[in-house]
Amino acid sequence: MSTPLRAGIVGGGFMAEVHARAVRAAGHEVRGIVSSSAASTDRAAERLRIPIRFASPGELIESDQVDVVHICTPNNLHLAQAGAVIEAAKAVVCEKPLATTAADARSLYDAADRAQVTTAVPFVYRYYPAIHEIRERITAGDAGELLLIHGSYLQDWLAARTATNWRVSSQDGGPSRAFADIGVHWCDLMEFVTGHRITRVSARLITSYSRRGGSDRPVGNEDASLVMFETDRGAAGSLTLSQISHGRKNRLWFSFDGTEGSYEFNQEDPNSFWIGGLDRNSTIISGNTGMRSADSQRLSLLPAGHPQGYQDAFNAFMSDAYDAAQGASPSGLPTFADGYRAASLTDAVIQSSVTEKWVTVPSPDTAPSPAGFAHIP
């Protein structure tokens, strides 16, 4: 790594804190922050120990004190804010969803490509050592031909009728919540590990409560999603997503079943994975134990028996993002291309739920590309 870069964070909530830790762990500086109000900015700056407090997102983005901008704001703000960063010719790390529609996500992807700026989207579950090991083994043919690809991503933070959040508003969070928030993580991980691409979806979106937390505002997006899909390599798949499953805090689980074996992973126990076979089953433990993949070895920071978790994965992602901002080409870094892919899947899932029909997921070369971004103050 050359000279440390200086980060500016737009947003002052939980994800801003995760980003700040990761930037520092990668050896860089968190220089400035701005949140939704002066008071919120002050609280975030004090909590996260950030020296410069900006008056507006535009001021932070334009500042010569900031090299890399992190967008950690509500979903409906991503388009304008990330677009402004691109126009300022700075590297940008934007939380997902990249935008609330595929068309808007495509506009960001195209603009970043034209400007040749470094982009990254935190699909951080790619960064567990176990994930890279499963990927290497499936790529090597150990599972044979994948036939069935299935799994779930279950949470419970909105299980109670009284629970609410800005994400339940379609204006702030977008037209999809469960799929756009957590489903895209599962789909990104599946496509990254298997090399399969989802080509068609059949989906149902489920909203459990029409209003939440005593608010008069209607809930504008789904609490759960049921999705069937097909891939470009002939596999069939199913996915259950929920933010209302009691006792499930962050259970991203998959099983990839092939002609020669199966691979299973659970994010709530991320330091191991299971291999299924007709004659015997086995569990591979992370921490360099039984690992063949060079990327698994690179990401295994601790001796066997010492668990690594979500923040470690986020730190590894951030290290790659900042290496890319300094001219490197790290393998597997999720970029705005992946953010656009996730938005395209989300649009297809919404359309399928509305029409009650199978919907084809458009490829990048057939999607529309609108021009320009809204002005950001």
Side-chain angles (χ1 to χ4, degrees), residues 166-237:
W166 60 261
R167 290 174 177 83
V168 308
S169 163
S170 58
Q171 179 179 347
D172 297 334
S176 171
R177 176 167 28 92
F179 188 86
D181 187 21
I182 60 177
V184 295
H185 270 300
W186 192 95
C187 293
D188 176 81
L189 194 61
M190 182 280 288
E191 294 190 338
F192 177 73
V193 170
T194 67
H196 285 238
R197 302 274 284 183
I198 296 172
T199 55
R200 293 207 308 156
V201 297
S202 175
R204 182 185 176 197
L205 306 184
I206 301 163
T207 302
S208 55
Y209 303 118
S210 60
R211 286 174 172 78
R212 286 182 168 276
S215 172
D216 291 333
R217 297 178 64 185
V219 172
N221 40 41
E222 84 279 7
D223 297 314
S225 309
L226 304 175
V227 183
M228 293 191 298
F229 60 85
E230 297 173 351
T231 78
D232 58 348
R233 299 187 186 180

Side-chain angles (χ1 to χ4, degrees), residues 1-2 5 117-119 298 318-333 335:
M1 184 183 74
S2 57
L5 298 177
V117 301
T118 299
T119 65
R298 175 177 73 90
M318 201 65 74
S319 180
D320 275 4
Y322 272 67
D323 284 351
Q326 294 179 306
S329 300
S331 174
L333 174 68
T335 68

Side-chain angles (χ1 to χ4, degrees), residues 3-332:
T3 304
L5 298 177
R6 301 163 300 174
I9 300 177
V10 184
F14 165 72
M15 290 314 303
E17 187 167 346
V18 174
H19 280 242
R21 289 196 204 106
V23 170
R24 288 167 176 150
H28 300 277
E29 178 187 5
V30 185
R31 188 71 174 152
I33 191 167
V34 62
S35 191
S36 56
S37 67
S40 177
T41 299
D42 287 342
R43 289 193 298 269
E46 291 172 9
R47 185 178 86 251
L48 303 179
R49 300 177 283 92
I50 299 174
I52 301 178
R53 306 171 189 192
F54 289 96
S56 70
E59 183 184 32
L60 181 148
I61 291 166
E62 296 294 334
S63 172
D64 60 7
Q65 293 291 309
V66 171
D67 304 307
V68 181
V69 179
H70 295 247
I71 307 298
C72 302
T73 53
N75 303 343
N76 65 317
L77 302 177
H78 292 180
L79 175 66
Q81 292 173 346
V85 181
I86 294 168
E87 290 174 352
K90 292 185 178 181
V92 54
V93 181
C94 183
E95 272 297 325
K96 52 86 206 142
L98 185 56
T100 57
T101 68
D104 285 344
R106 176 64 186 263
S107 71
L108 288 171
Y109 166 66
D110 284 345
D113 184 59
R114 288 192 299 268
Q116 291 296 288
V117 301
T118 299
T119 65
V121 177
F123 288 117
V124 299
Y125 299 121
R126 296 184 182 192
Y127 281 84
Y128 285 122
I131 289 299
H132 280 269
E133 185 65 19
I134 298 170
R135 183 181 190 233
E136 192 277 339
R137 290 169 182 249
I138 288 177
T139 301
D142 289 16
E145 179 186 355
L146 293 182
L147 303 174
L148 184 63
I149 295 174
H150 57 113
S152 59
Y153 195 160
L154 309 178
Q155 299 175 331
D156 70 354
W157 66 287
L158 286 170
R161 183 189 295 270
T162 54
T164 191
N165 182 270
W166 60 261
R167 290 174 177 83
V168 308
S169 163
S170 58
Q171 179 179 347
D172 297 334
S176 171
R177 176 167 28 92
F179 188 86
D181 187 21
I182 60 177
V184 295
H185 270 300
W186 192 95
C187 293
D188 176 81
L189 194 61
M190 182 280 288
E191 294 190 338
F192 177 73
V193 170
T194 67
H196 285 238
R197 302 274 284 183
I198 296 172
T199 55
R200 293 207 308 156
V201 297
S202 175
R204 182 185 176 197
L205 306 184
I206 301 163
T207 302
S208 55
Y209 303 118
S210 60
R211 286 174 172 78
R212 286 182 168 276
S215 172
D216 291 333
R217 297 178 64 185
V219 172
N221 40 41
E222 84 279 7
D223 297 314
S225 309
L226 304 175
V227 183
M228 293 191 298
F229 60 85
E230 297 173 351
T231 78
D232 58 348
R233 299 187 186 180
S238 65
L239 174 61
T240 300
L241 305 164
S242 170
Q243 295 176 323
I244 54 171
S245 295
H246 287 273
R248 300 301 189 183
K249 302 306 179 185
N250 202 57
R251 188 180 185 272
L252 186 162
W253 174 90
F254 66 67
S255 183
F256 301 153
D257 305 339
T259 55
E260 304 300 324
S262 297
Y263 285 82
E264 178 185 290
F265 173 80
N266 177 6
Q267 196 277 150
E268 289 189 341
D269 183 20
N271 292 280
S272 65
F273 63 94
W274 179 85
I275 305 171
L278 290 177
D279 298 326
R280 66 183 182 88
N281 301 326
S282 62
T283 300
I284 301 294
I285 306 299
S286 298
N288 296 336
T289 300
M291 294 290 186
R292 302 187 326 210
S293 163
D295 278 324
S296 295
Q297 297 286 336
R298 175 177 73 90
L299 295 170
S300 295
L301 305 178
L302 303 174
H306 297 75
Q308 293 179 215
Y310 171 77
Q311 187 68 57
D312 297 294
F314 215 107
N315 295 352
F317 155 78
M318 201 65 74
S319 180
D320 275 4
Y322 272 67
D323 284 351
Q326 294 179 306
S329 300
S331 174

